[in-house]
Amino acid sequence: MRILCACFLLICFGLNINAQIRTQDSTKMHGILPMHNGKVYYSEVIEESNVSKDELYSRAYSWIVSSFKLTKFEVKMSDKGLGKIVAEGKFEHPIKYQTKAHTISFMITIIVKENRFKYIFTDFNELVLKESFGFLSRTDKPIEEIYEKMDVRKKNHNNIITQFDAYVTKICHELKSAIKQNDANGKDEDDW
């Protein structure tokens, strides 16, 4: 009977810890990845004093078409009048202790206005290869679906999620550096 009670307590305690880990921050998956409307979502509004909408657009477009260090982009929509660029990006997500990097695709939207710009990285998918009857099939699976199932208490799972966040943050920083030339403070996302 004691063993049964001990097992029951261990199970309840384990479920409680898991629930606490998942609900630490409802805006972040596993307390690491930023979330918005159920999707991994990186966004920021950057002020750039005395820079026209056209100049910001040109800087953003130049970065998109020449950025091959960290990722490759395919422009899906570009409208200078609206000040909007939408592109699909792909990068190899190098994972520590694994021999093969994972291919991640995502959408980036850059919106420019006078003296400010906003970027949004979302719709992240991981290329998943499956073998069936000797043939490989390719499927793009949302990373929310893959990463939500991971147990961040396991070192390798935590490393995958942390490394993903660091890599996307690095891409965001590269974009900001390419477009931004003066120090500025961002406004609230809804009041940009």
Side-chain angles (χ1 to χ4, degrees):
M1 186 67 166
R2 286 183 187 173
I3 293 173
L4 185 60
C5 287
C7 288
F8 178 75
L9 288 174
L10 283 173
I11 290 171
C12 288
F13 182 70
L15 290 175
N16 187 30
I17 288 174
N18 196 29
Q20 287 175 359
I21 288 172
R22 291 179 187 267
T23 59
Q24 282 177 354
D25 185 351
S26 62
T27 61
K28 293 194 177 223
M29 180 186 293
H30 297 302
I32 300 169
L33 300 178
M35 301 288 289
H36 181 71
N37 292 332
K39 291 185 172 199
V40 173
Y41 185 91
Y42 292 80
S43 179
E44 188 175 357
V45 175
I46 309 292
E47 295 287 330
E48 185 64 11
S49 301
N50 302 318
V51 181
S52 71
K53 175 182 171 183
D54 288 344
E55 177 61 23
L56 290 172
Y57 181 89
S58 294
R59 292 178 190 177
Y61 194 84
S62 292
W63 180 79
I64 289 279
V65 298
S66 65
S67 178
F68 290 105
K69 286 182 192 171
L70 297 176
T71 189
K72 295 177 177 86
F73 290 104
E74 179 184 336
V75 176
K76 298 292 184 181
M77 190 276 272
S78 174
D79 188 325
K80 193 171 187 174
L82 289 175
K84 187 173 185 177
I85 303 167
V86 178
E88 180 180 13
K90 286 191 176 156
F91 64 87
E92 295 295 318
H93 175 214
I95 298 174
K96 206 180 233 182
Y97 311 118
Q98 290 192 9
T99 56
K100 188 171 182 339
H102 294 205
T103 301
I104 304 288
S105 67
F106 61 95
M107 295 303 291
I108 178 175
T109 302
I110 300 172
I111 306 166
V112 297
K113 294 185 178 183
E114 291 296 320
N115 304 315
R116 61 187 185 261
F117 66 94
K118 178 179 185 176
Y119 66 81
I120 303 166
F121 288 81
T122 192
D123 296 329
F124 293 92
N125 290 291
E126 184 171 325
L127 170 67
V128 179
L129 295 174
K130 290 186 179 182
E131 186 175 344
S132 178
F133 302 108
F135 295 100
L136 284 176
S137 64
R138 173 192 157 161
T139 314
D140 286 339
K141 215 172 206 182
I143 63 163
E144 297 84 6
E145 189 178 315
I146 297 168
Y147 290 5
E148 183 61 37
K149 295 175 185 174
M150 290 185 172
D151 183 353
V152 292
R153 293 173 292 177
K154 294 180 179 178
K155 187 176 180 179
N156 62 331
H157 288 184
N158 191 32
N159 282 343
I160 290 170
I161 293 171
T162 303
Q163 289 170 25
F164 173 85
D165 179 60
Y167 201 79
V168 175
T169 301
K170 186 175 180 180
I171 295 170
C172 293
H173 180 71
E174 187 183 88
L175 167 64
K176 287 190 292 188
S177 295
I179 297 176
K180 192 173 170 2
Q181 294 187 356
N182 300 319
D183 290 327
N185 297 320
K187 278 188 174 180
D188 181 58
E189 183 177 317
D190 294 330
D191 184 31
W192 77 282

